[in-house]
Amino acid sequence: MAFGQATVTLRPLKFAILVELGDHDALLEAIRINTFLWGGTYNPIIPIFAETPTNWSHVPLPPPAPENILAGYIRSFDPDILVACGKLEASKFESAGRLVISANDVTEPIAAKGIPGYGIGLFELLSEIARHEFKFVRRDGLKVFAPTFEAPIDPLLAAIFGDIPAGAGDLYERWLQAVDTHRPAVTIDNFLEYPSGPHLFRRHVCSYGLDVRLPRSARSSAIFYFDHIDALDLIDYWNLRAVGWDVLPLPKAVAQSEQAKAVARRFITEHEQRDTGGSPIENRVSVVKGRSISEDDHRALIDTLRESPTQIMTCQFWYPSMWDEFTHVRGHLDCAQLVADSRTTAIGDDASSLQIAALAPSFLEPGYRKGQTYANDLEIKRYGLKEFGTAVIPPDEQTVSRLFGFGLPDEWRVGSNGLTFLGHHADWTIPLSQPSASDVVASVLESKGWTEFKISPPGNIAYQMMRHLGGPVGISLLKSRYLLEYLEKLSRSGTWDLAQTFFTEMKKIDAARAIQVDLHRLAQRYTDAKIFTLGLEVLCPVCTQRSWYALDVVDYEVQCPKCLSSFRLPIHNPSGELKWAYKNSGPFTSLPDSDQEAADTSPNPEAQWAYRSLGPFAAPKRGGGAYSVLLTVNFLSDYHHPATTTALSFTAKGHNDKALEADFMMFYRNAAFWERRTEWVFGECKTFNKFKQRDIDRMQLIADSFPDAVLVFATLSDDFSDEEKALLLPFVKACRPYGKLDRPRHGVLLLTGTELFSTFGPPSCWKDKSGKGKEWADARRPLSSLLELCDATQTLYLGLEPWSVEWQAEFARRRENAEHEDPA
């Protein structure tokens, strides 16, 4: 019985504000928008420029291109909506599945209605705070900090304390009447005199009701030393806070004052003592250098901040490269996760579509909204399914999001947290369908130019097998070489075994298992999965041939399938004439590999007349490739328990009528918290056949069409033959050179029966292999990623040198130790 749950997590909309680097007014407008919106402190400001600034990077390498920087910021912060400020035109930016709007779309309704065109605004938050925090007279001195600024306003002060979009000043003054306020005059010279303390700064008001979550291992505080007159430095300060860090701004203009030094020392002391559970390195506050600050000036500041010559200070002479893909994928810089509320809804067995109540903030004011107002991240977990689930979806696939949700396309997107619904109103219902994994894969491939996706005949057989086994979990029943050999014997001979012989074979299968079970319990598991079924062997009195009859067709009078004669069962002597017998059934009696390959190449119209043999002409069948596909998918799904979305054997057509064919495709995301990349995995599987050149050619097309994909070659044989190694070796070597992200161009995973039949998986399954296999098993436990597993199996089965520097160093150390080892 299938069951599950759908978890809805409420959070603010996340905007990325695009600002031309030299446009001072646009930068101030971006700050005003962000300090007015719920969750706006965590909205990034992305600089747009024609040429990358010369001080962009601290390393003497060519700087990244402007378009790559923009794409990197979007990938790292994963915004729901892009907002073009100033003279930038929204139509000139690629959306990548996101809505692109202008700043005017957000700010225009504020002056008239007090609410923004998109998102939730400051006045709604002040109304909620007034109801809950200032309903009665407070004795703790809590006040909303609403300073006044000299004109023209300094953008740094607006970034720290917030400012109001043009035309909303009168409404702002009216709302401040509902709360207690502290309204000093603040300048660049005295802003450090006003720590938050008992005051609610604008960033606190706009973060009302939010739980800001950062990984425990991530840095969470820093002092930023910069030139606030420099627009890029100011944007960098804002984005450090948008990541989720607690940042003390230390502008160059006031950094040398005694007051600034005292505030910085106090900040360091308070934050390093805040969390005593982590390591000393994690708790240290870094003093980060702005791009416009020289290293000499930075070192001079560090020296002045030391309270004693021996005090250890953590210095960072570079700005965190939050736009860099390597930094993002490897988890070196994580953006905070915002959570306002969550709700879980149970999913029943028959729920093909759901109606889930949207989770909206309680302070959402009623009324017409021009655009989306809040975001609901959806996480769907299903258990006991007879089909593959859709646990992981590649980000920014807008076509995939439409498979899940009904309604307008702009209401759905796929982000780093999975499926997201962008809501408009409080009383809203989310209509949610649950597409199959093959539909998701087909939609993603179509967005990449591969159309006419179709499950192949071997794929249909594999799906039918999986359903008989009770779903993906039941595939592990096939992890027995003796079982597959027994099925092959029955299929090729086209016969059956009597009960006594059947249970003798069951004993052999059970004896080869890593964990033995009761013999009849094992037989029950196989019969429940309809791998075998119980019937009667009966002797025909006319042709004197024995035939097998399933229990559901046995009657007092039966027809012989060999001579077609009808006769009565010998009920007068059942012990002598009737014998119980077992036979493999359904998809477990499919065509042999050679026959199946011939069938695949023959014409296959939608409808045609066909004849089948009957009686003595009945042809035997067997698994024909489906076993290796299912066991390979099961292996990948069990290894470190990742999130996966899988489609079995399929074909598709691309440009120039190129035919894409794979035994399976999987979207794979490692369960480890530092793994954020969705891997594309393609597989070519053989039962006991050999890999041929046509298989290499198919995988070469996939390698050329899908950069960075992981390619799997799997066989149920104990090892690859010399002929197969001669074919695989050039292909694997061509995939091993480094690509981007410090990883090989393609990870190639080689699997044999050693891994696929193993109960415990690598590296334990390699202990019974050759000496090299034992060395791999002992050298690195556990293997922590799919790429490491690819590296290990290439080295194990093809004798290649590992591509990883760490692996090379480990092997060099072991060889050196072996050379100096005492022979005795």
Side-chain angles (χ1 to χ4, degrees):
M1 178 178 178
F3 63 97
Q5 61 184 27
T7 301
V8 182
T9 302
L10 170 66
R11 62 170 176 83
L13 287 178
K14 195 166 192 177
F15 299 85
I17 316 294
L18 311 181
V19 174
E20 197 169 6
L21 189 57
D23 193 337
H24 178 275
D25 293 337
L27 176 57
L28 186 57
E29 183 181 25
I31 293 173
R32 285 170 172 166
I33 291 174
N34 279 337
T35 55
F36 188 85
L37 294 174
W38 184 40
T41 303
Y42 306 97
N43 293 338
I45 298 176
I46 302 179
I48 304 297
F49 34 75
E51 294 184 4
T52 306
T54 56
N55 64 345
W56 186 263
S57 177
H58 68 287
V59 295
L61 295 174
E67 59 271 16
N68 294 336
I69 293 174
L70 172 61
Y73 270 116
I74 293 175
R75 177 179 54 246
S76 180
F77 282 98
D78 190 32
D80 302 305
I81 299 175
L82 304 182
V83 181
C85 262
K87 300 177 182 178
L88 297 177
E89 297 181 15
S91 59
K92 293 185 177 180
F93 295 93
E94 295 183 2
S95 62
R98 298 170 174 84
L99 183 65
V100 185
I101 61 176
S102 68
N104 191 54
D105 292 327
V106 180
T107 59
E108 184 179 21
I110 295 177
K113 301 179 181 180
I115 58 176
Y118 290 80
I120 296 176
L122 174 67
F123 302 151
E124 295 167 278
L125 296 167
L126 284 175
S127 176
E128 181 75 0
I129 291 175
R131 283 194 299 267
H132 291 277
E133 304 295 338
F134 295 97
K135 184 176 182 179
F136 304 102
V137 177
R138 298 191 66 105
R139 296 181 179 274
D140 57 1
L142 181 68
K143 294 183 180 182
V144 172
F145 196 79
T148 58
F149 307 113
E150 297 178 355
I153 185 174
D154 192 310
L156 174 62
L157 300 181
I160 297 173
F161 302 105
D163 196 25
I164 296 298
D170 293 339
L171 279 175
Y172 180 51
E173 292 296 331
R174 201 177 308 163
W175 275 107
L176 288 180
Q177 301 299 321
V179 296
D180 296 338
T181 60
H182 180 54
R183 313 190 66 176
V186 176
T187 65
I188 193 66
D189 296 320
N190 69 353
F191 78 94
L192 289 173
E193 298 177 5
Y194 302 100
S196 56
H199 301 142
L200 287 177
F201 280 18
R202 181 70 63 79
R203 64 176 181 272
H204 301 138
V205 174
C206 290
S207 300
Y208 186 78
L210 291 181
D211 180 14
V212 183
R213 301 176 181 176
L214 273 171
R216 182 173 177 82
S217 59
R219 186 178 300 279
S220 60
S221 56
I223 295 174
F224 188 52
Y225 180 44
F226 65 112
D227 184 358
H228 75 286
I229 304 300
D230 187 282
L232 185 57
D233 272 10
L234 186 59
I235 292 175
D236 286 343
Y237 161 65
W238 180 275
N239 287 337
L240 278 182
R241 290 196 312 176
V243 169
W245 291 10
D246 188 0
V247 183
L248 173 66
L250 203 59
K252 183 178 181 180
V254 299
Q256 297 303 323
S257 68
E258 291 302 320
Q259 181 189 38
K261 295 175 186 177
V263 169
R265 293 176 187 134
R266 185 166 59 249
F267 182 88
I268 293 173
T269 302
E270 291 176 354
H271 284 76
E272 289 187 352
Q273 293 178 352
R274 179 180 297 177
D275 184 6
T276 57
S279 68
I281 296 179
E282 292 172 358
N283 293 338
R284 291 197 182 280
V285 176
S286 282
V287 182
V288 182
K289 182 183 80 69
R291 302 178 203 267
S292 63
I293 302 296
S294 68
E295 289 192 13
D296 291 339
D297 290 343
H298 190 227
R299 288 191 178 94
L301 174 71
I302 298 297
D303 291 337
T304 61
L305 293 181
R306 286 192 174 94
E307 297 186 71
S308 67
T310 59
Q311 182 182 1
I312 298 175
M313 301 289 291
T314 305
C315 313
Q316 185 166 321
F317 295 99
W318 64 94
Y319 185 78
S321 53
M322 54 187 67
W323 59 89
D324 181 63
E325 187 176 4
F326 183 90
T327 301
H328 172 67
V329 172
R330 295 302 178 91
H332 298 312
L333 185 67
D334 297 293
C335 292
Q337 180 184 6
L338 306 181
V339 177
D341 198 1
S342 64
R343 183 200 301 136
T344 300
T345 303
I347 302 176
D349 185 20
D350 57 348
S352 58
S353 61
L354 302 174
Q355 297 290 329
I356 302 176
L359 191 56
S362 59
F363 43 83
L364 177 64
E365 291 291 337
Y368 172 77
R369 302 271 176 163
K370 180 177 182 179
Q372 293 85 346
T373 307
Y374 59 89
N376 280 175
D377 291 330
L378 301 174
E379 181 182 14
I380 303 173
K381 294 183 179 180
R382 301 296 303 274
Y383 308 96
L385 292 173
K386 291 190 176 182
E387 303 287 345
F388 291 116
T390 53
V392 58
I393 310 171
D396 301 332
E397 292 293 343
Q398 190 73 356
T399 57
V400 177
S401 66
R402 297 174 188 174
L403 295 176
F404 286 84
F406 304 98
L408 298 176
D410 292 343
E411 294 177 346
W412 295 92
R413 63 173 295 264
V414 179
S416 59
N417 294 326
L419 193 65
T420 299
F421 172 76
L422 307 179
H424 287 256
H425 310 290
D427 299 326
W428 203 262
T429 299
I430 305 175
L432 188 66
S433 62
Q434 299 183 60
S436 66
S438 59
D439 288 339
V440 172
V441 171
S443 180
V444 175
L445 289 179
E446 185 176 4
S447 69
K448 305 300 181 185
W450 296 93
T451 59
E452 299 184 34
F453 179 92
K454 183 179 180 181
I455 301 296
S456 62
N460 288 323
I461 293 173
Y463 275 113
Q464 193 62 25
M465 280 188 179
M466 184 177 65
R467 297 182 187 108
H468 278 288
L469 293 168
V473 176
I475 296 175
S476 59
L477 284 176
L478 298 178
K479 285 188 176 182
S480 170
R481 188 184 301 275
Y482 285 97
L483 170 64
L484 300 191
E485 291 175 352
Y486 183 43
L487 287 171
E488 182 179 357
K489 185 192 78 171
L490 292 180
S491 297
R492 291 196 180 277
S493 63
T495 60
W496 52 89
D497 276 341
L498 299 180
Q500 183 177 2
T501 306
F502 174 79
F503 279 102
T504 300
E505 296 294 336
M506 288 296 103
K507 287 182 180 179
K508 295 179 182 178
I509 294 172
D510 186 51
R513 292 167 52 91
I515 302 176
Q516 280 74 40
V517 297
D518 178 75
L519 187 62
H520 292 280
R521 174 60 178 162
L522 180 63
Q524 181 184 4
R525 293 175 65 184
Y526 288 151
T527 53
D528 287 346
K530 297 182 180 180
I531 298 177
F532 301 100
T533 188
L534 180 64
L536 284 174
E537 182 191 78
V538 182
L539 176 68
C540 175
V542 179
C543 65
T544 67
Q545 298 294 314
R546 293 186 176 274
S547 300
W548 184 88
Y549 298 86
L551 293 181
D552 57 350
V553 301
V554 171
D555 204 345
Y556 288 104
E557 184 173 310
V558 295
Q559 185 182 55
C560 176
K562 295 184 172 66
C563 68
L564 305 182
S565 299
S566 297
F567 63 95
R568 292 178 61 81
L569 286 178
I571 59 177
H572 61 283
N573 185 18
S575 61
E577 302 294 337
L578 304 180
K579 297 181 180 179
W580 295 105
Y582 290 86
K583 184 180 186 296
N584 54 331
S585 62
F588 300 95
T589 59
S590 58
L591 288 171
D593 290 345
S594 58
D595 296 339
Q596 187 65 60
E597 290 177 1
D600 292 342
T601 57
S602 62
N604 186 24
E606 292 294 326
Q608 61 179 339
W609 292 103
Y611 294 85
R612 64 159 294 177
S613 59
L614 187 66
F617 301 100
K621 299 179 180 180
R622 72 173 181 88
Y627 298 131
S628 59
V629 173
L630 291 176
L631 287 174
T632 303
V633 169
N634 177 264
F635 171 84
L636 292 172
S637 300
D638 279 354
Y639 181 70
H640 286 313
H641 306 288
T644 60
T645 299
T646 306
L648 301 183
S649 307
F650 64 90
T651 59
K653 287 187 177 180
H655 305 294
N656 301 324
D657 290 331
K658 292 183 178 180
L660 175 67
E661 182 178 352
D663 286 334
F664 73 88
M665 178 187 175
M666 174 185 291
F667 297 129
Y668 178 105
R669 181 175 294 167
N670 200 313
F673 72 90
W674 60 84
E675 293 285 351
R676 290 157 181 81
R677 183 184 177 90
T678 298
E679 302 285 358
W680 293 48
V681 184
F682 293 85
E684 183 69 28
C685 305
K686 296 294 180 185
T687 304
F688 295 105
N689 293 5
K690 304 299 182 184
F691 288 102
K692 305 295 183 183
Q693 184 60 49
R694 63 176 177 270
D695 304 313
I696 305 298
D697 293 340
R698 283 198 292 262
M699 293 299 273
Q700 185 62 57
L701 174 62
I702 294 173
D704 295 338
S705 304
F706 299 92
D708 298 329
V710 176
L711 310 176
V712 180
F713 292 90
T715 177
L716 296 186
S717 301
D718 290 332
D719 208 339
F720 296 95
S721 66
D722 292 338
E723 294 80 3
E724 289 176 305
K725 290 181 180 180
L727 290 173
L728 289 169
L729 195 57
F731 179 82
V732 171
K733 285 187 174 181
C735 294
R736 288 169 67 86
Y738 277 85
K740 61 180 182 179
L741 301 182
D742 193 27
R743 54 183 279 157
R745 189 174 301 161
H746 290 283
V748 180
L749 178 59
L750 305 179
L751 299 176
T752 68
T754 301
E755 292 85 14
L756 300 182
F757 288 124
S758 172
T759 303
F760 304 106
S764 300
C765 61
W766 294 332
K767 289 186 176 181
D768 296 332
K769 295 292 288 182
S770 63
K772 181 179 287 186
K774 293 178 181 178
E775 187 171 5
W776 276 105
D778 296 337
R780 191 112 163 178
R781 300 189 62 162
L783 296 167
S784 60
S785 71
L786 190 58
L787 283 181
E788 284 188 350
L789 184 61
C790 292
D791 182 28
T793 58
Q794 291 173 37
T795 306
L796 178 62
Y797 291 116
L798 297 180
L800 296 174
E801 284 296 322
W803 58 266
S804 168
V805 175
E806 291 80 5
W807 285 90
Q808 293 178 11
E810 177 66 17
F811 270 80
R813 183 184 66 81
R814 287 178 173 270
R815 283 196 295 267
E816 183 178 355
N817 292 343
E819 292 172 358
H820 294 85
E821 206 169 57
D822 188 351

